[in-house]
Amino acid sequence: MSSSVTPSPIRSVTLAQPFTDQKPGTSGLRKSSLQFQTPHYLESFIEASLRVIPGVAGGTLVVGGDGRYGNRSAIDVIARMAAAHGVTRLVTTTGGILSTPAASHLIRSRGAIAGIILSASHNPGGPEGDFGVKINGANGGPAPESLTDAVYAATQSLEGYRIAEAEPLNLDQPGEQRIGDLVVEVIDGVSDYVALMQKLFDFDRIASLLRSDFRLAFDAMHAVTGPYASRLFEGLLGAPSGTVRNGLPLEDFGGGHPDPNLTYAAELADLLLKGNDYAFGAACDGDGDRNMILGRACFVNPSDSLAVLTANATLVPGYAKGLTGVARSMPTSAAVDVVAEGLGIACFETPTGWKFFGNLLDASRITLCGEESFGTGSDHIREKDGLWAVLFWLNILAVRGCSVAEVMAEHWNRFGRHYYSRHDYEAIASDAAHGLYNRIKAMLPDLVGQPFAGRTIATADDFAYTDPVDGSITIGQGLRLLLDDGSRVVLRLSGTGTQGATLRVYLESYVPPSGNLHQDPQAALADLIHAIDALAEIRTRTGMERPTVIT
């Protein structure tokens, strides 16, 4: 398809007043779909972004999203505004469907100045759900804080925006269209990503596994990974039709919550944990960067998943030469630390946020990285990558010829086990959540040396990080209670929700290979759970008898 979309002259729109609530977080600007449909709201944020992103005039921009409500119309707005700001090429995809990892790869492979990713990640979609806009830099990773701060500053004094008038874009098939001097290139958003995966993994070996009696169930959760997974698993790798469940991206994700965990992917979890028909199960979230891994009667904790990938990396063609180092976010368990020590490679503990990994990746200090919130990735892009993690696991299983449960058992017998869990208390009244958090923060100096769950608190702090690459300092990253036996409890407030606040409580206890490695995690952590509830007065202050989500 090749056509010309002829605009009328560029229109300047004057704002009565600037929008003052457009401060992007680490995951971009997330608000309700209703908020984004407020007149001039999206346009204001895009205007501010186009004013501060380096190289806009004459540059290439990548745009796409997870298919949620508002995705197509937002792409149309961004294209017309890009034309008004002198962008010469905008790369988007059929249907506007583009996963976050695929967007990162496109930015890098096309030499784009930036990417604009339309997603609220794992938040629900639809008219009553959420929408989001995230800016990724030229390295393919989340924009650095300096850029997001500049965008926010621009929104605070924005007097108006510029936009070209044009007919709606045709996103239904590949081809080129024009809006004045801007070329809008619509591509198959799946092919480039699949080609990258073929360079990293042994597709022949994985295909042989999937064509045996090894049954795979993948839940795309009616989100962005459906087309990618169908092409990979049912197409190239020969898995039977129906392997990919909920594979059609829907504007409201079929009314579901596209967050791949035991609560929101309960149907998949039941297939693997309560039945015997499937050997492997996996799911990805709304924009495709998170993953959940399951074996028959075996849930793989995301922290353990990173450790297993690290320990087995040389079995995979793309990592056969070994790893330069690994990194984990502070709330992620120390399971990978033990593996890194055993392999003699560097291991970094960073704040939450993929941009911190990006610095280490760009400096070639690490090869693999991950966070406890179901995100793992490597130096192949600058985002976490859900389907990459699934293929990595399948490649390991194909080479080792054993089950997920056997991989985990052998791993714990070699490295010991970090019993680990995250308890999320969602949609807490903001005052109550911050009151609870600030109270514990004020208590930290007095907690050192105090008894806690039959142990003693050795260190109590608010985690801070000095970046080994650029020397930048990041503070206020989470309250840590480090106990004298290597156990710990971490408290953080999450900013990814749009209604109220989320308190996240991380619990971890290490058992060496000689200990009891096969307890139920919640039972193994029961003393820590009760102790932090008593100390932080969680039930009393939140009014919640139990967490919303336990992972």
Side-chain angles (χ1 to χ4, degrees):
M1 176 189 67
S2 179
S3 63
S4 176
V5 178
T6 305
S8 59
I10 294 169
R11 179 165 57 99
S12 295
V13 179
T14 301
L15 296 173
Q17 60 185 26
F19 291 95
T20 59
D21 67 340
Q22 294 191 318
K23 185 172 180 60
T26 57
S27 300
L29 180 67
R30 291 186 189 174
K31 299 289 181 179
S32 68
S33 297
L34 187 63
Q35 177 69 73
F36 267 101
Q37 291 187 65
T38 302
H40 316 302
Y41 190 85
L42 172 65
E43 290 87 345
S44 295
F45 187 74
I46 298 302
E47 175 72 22
S49 301
L50 292 174
R51 288 189 183 187
V52 302
I53 293 172
V56 164
T60 295
L61 190 65
V62 171
V63 181
D66 60 17
R68 68 178 60 229
Y69 179 78
N71 190 67
R72 280 186 178 237
S73 59
I75 292 172
D76 202 69
V77 166
I78 293 167
R80 292 190 288 127
M81 294 187 71
H85 282 266
V87 175
T88 56
R89 180 170 290 268
L90 185 145
V91 181
T92 189
T93 58
T94 51
I97 299 295
L98 182 64
S99 75
T100 291
S104 179
H105 176 54
L106 268 182
I107 294 166
R108 293 166 63 79
S109 63
R110 292 301 190 97
I113 57 167
I116 299 179
I117 301 173
L118 305 170
S119 174
S121 186
H122 53 285
N123 291 17
E128 306 302 319
D130 295 334
F131 193 79
V133 181
K134 187 175 81 160
I135 310 298
N136 278 37
N139 75 335
E145 193 170 359
S146 58
L147 180 58
T148 56
D149 284 348
V151 172
Y152 180 57
T155 67
Q156 299 302 285
S157 59
L158 199 65
E159 75 290 345
Y161 60 87
R162 300 171 69 226
I163 187 168
E165 294 290 351
E167 294 297 319
L169 294 170
N170 179 358
L171 300 180
D172 292 331
Q173 56 183 319
E176 290 189 352
Q177 304 166 60
R178 299 188 71 91
I179 303 177
D181 293 330
L182 172 69
V183 175
V184 178
E185 182 183 357
V186 182
I187 66 170
D188 174 349
V190 176
S191 297
D192 288 69
Y193 176 81
V194 167
L196 177 62
M197 295 300 102
Q198 289 176 301
K199 294 178 181 178
L200 297 174
F201 300 108
D202 188 338
F203 270 49
D204 289 339
R205 202 146 192 178
I206 297 173
S208 179
L209 175 68
L210 296 188
R211 288 169 178 151
S212 67
D213 60 356
F214 182 96
R215 292 194 66 189
L216 161 68
F218 178 84
D219 190 350
M221 307 190 82
H222 285 303
V224 77
T225 57
Y228 298 85
S230 295
R231 181 85 60 88
L232 284 165
F233 301 134
E234 297 181 9
L236 292 171
L237 293 170
S241 177
T243 293
V244 177
R245 297 162 174 261
N246 303 315
L248 178 65
L250 298 176
E251 289 189 338
D252 65 349
F253 306 118
H257 191 147
D259 195 355
N261 57 47
L262 297 176
T263 298
Y264 297 122
E267 183 178 338
L268 177 70
D270 285 347
L271 287 178
L272 273 297
L273 303 182
K274 297 180 180 180
N276 296 311
D277 292 338
Y278 291 88
F280 186 85
C284 289
D285 73 330
D287 66 329
D289 60 0
R290 299 172 189 244
N291 71 91
M292 179 172 69
I293 302 297
L294 299 160
R296 184 178 290 120
C298 179
F299 165 71
V300 181
N301 188 288
S303 298
D304 279 343
S305 184
L306 175 61
V308 169
L309 299 189
T310 301
N312 292 273
T314 55
L315 301 180
V316 175
Y319 309 94
K321 295 181 180 180
L323 310 177
T324 58
V326 293
R328 63 169 175 86
S329 63
M330 181 273 287
T332 304
S333 93
V336 74
D337 301 43
V338 178
V339 176
E341 183 179 4
L343 297 178
I345 60 175
C347 182
F348 298 88
E349 181 182 29
T350 74
T352 297
W354 213 259
K355 61 186 178 182
F356 297 102
F357 295 146
N359 272 1
L360 295 167
L361 290 165
D362 286 344
S364 300
R365 302 285 290 273
I366 62 171
T367 308
L368 299 187
C369 48
E371 57 188 19
E372 53 72 37
S373 56
F374 294 81
T376 38
S378 86
D379 57 359
H380 70 292
I381 56 172
R382 294 298 181 267
E383 286 278 6
K384 48 187 175 281
D385 190 345
L387 282 170
W388 166 89
V390 176
L391 288 167
F392 207 131
W393 264 95
L394 289 172
N395 204 149
I396 291 170
L397 295 174
V399 173
R400 293 188 55 174
C402 60
S403 69
V404 173
E406 288 169 334
V407 168
M408 294 311 308
E410 291 176 16
H411 183 87
W412 294 329
N413 286 333
R414 178 182 176 188
F415 296 105
R417 182 172 182 180
H418 289 256
Y419 284 99
Y420 179 85
S421 185
R422 188 182 91 188
H423 290 196
D424 290 357
Y425 297 83
E426 297 179 343
I428 305 170
S430 184
D431 289 347
H434 285 87
L436 181 157
Y437 192 84
N438 292 334
R439 172 177 169 269
I440 295 297
K441 184 177 179 180
M443 294 169 62
L444 291 176
D446 298 326
L447 292 177
V448 177
Q450 296 298 311
F452 187 88
R455 307 162 175 88
T456 300
I457 298 175
T459 303
D461 64 8
D462 191 351
F463 180 67
Y465 175 72
T466 300
D467 194 298
V469 178
D470 61 20
S472 61
I473 298 174
T474 305
I475 62 174
Q477 292 301 296
L479 310 182
R480 302 190 302 174
L481 305 181
L482 308 182
L483 309 183
D484 59 354
D485 69 341
S487 301
R488 66 174 187 158
V489 177
V490 175
L491 281 75
R492 296 186 71 245
L493 285 181
S494 171
T496 59
T498 59
Q499 298 180 356
T502 297
L503 173 69
R504 303 194 193 281
V505 181
Y506 307 84
L507 308 121
E508 178 176 359
S509 181
Y510 176 65
V511 177
S514 59
N516 183 357
L517 301 175
H518 302 287
Q519 303 177 63
D520 172 75
Q522 299 308 313
L525 295 165
D527 54 351
L528 295 179
I529 294 169
H530 294 315
I532 192 59
D533 179 67
L535 179 66
E537 301 175 353
I538 295 174
R539 284 183 293 176
T540 301
R541 291 175 175 268
T542 66
M544 301 175 69
E545 287 297 317
R546 60 187 60 84
T548 311
V549 180
I550 295 177
T551 50

